[in-house]
Amino acid sequence: MVCEPMPKWLSDCRERVKDLGVFGDKTPNHVLVNEYTPGQGIMPHEDGPLYHPVVTTISLGSHTLLDFYKSLSNTDHQDTTHDASYESRYIFSLLLEPRSLLVLQNDMYTRYLHGISQREKDTVSDQQRVANGSRLGQPLSFAEELNRSTRVSLTIRHVPKTFKIKLKLK
Ligand SMILES: O=C(O)CCC(=O)C(=O)O
Ligand SMILES: [Fe+2]
């Protein structure tokens, strides 16, 4: 990965997250900016060994639901009847509120996949298990429909190996 300077506003966000101490003695040096319009999501995935052991995400604009799934390596391979569908591997969701910070680490990093469904609104019902439902800034009423608007996420991580070469893009 090649180093590039960060804009000041982004570097300020990075510093505030660093000051929380969640990266230990490391300084987060990588920010991914994603924009989601209503109906857009991201496939269930693992962030992989490069960013291990901590990933942090600031949510701006819309709320979203981040869904967690058992990874296949975390299901019982002896059980040949096991169902590989995401539906059967779903465990719970976290409601990511606007201006919130998510810290993903430990088992949630290594043992589970995370993803965002392609929906324009989220219906918060019992099936949709919102694990942080009781810890939100605004209490949730169940069966409530939450319309998504544009969301920008800043995923702040630490990458151990970077190269200090200058890219000349024309
Ligand atoms: O936008 C988000 O909150 C999740 C992004 C994500 O999981 C990723 O980029 O790896
Ligand atoms: Fe991710």
Side-chain angles (χ1 to χ4, degrees), residues 42 45-47 114 157:
I42 187 167
H45 63 279
E46 289 171 2
D47 282 1
H114 55 273
R157 326 188 234 212

Side-chain angles (χ1 to χ4, degrees), residues 75-82:
T75 51
D76 185 359
H77 285 296
Q78 309 303 320
D79 175 9
T80 50
T81 62
H82 87 242

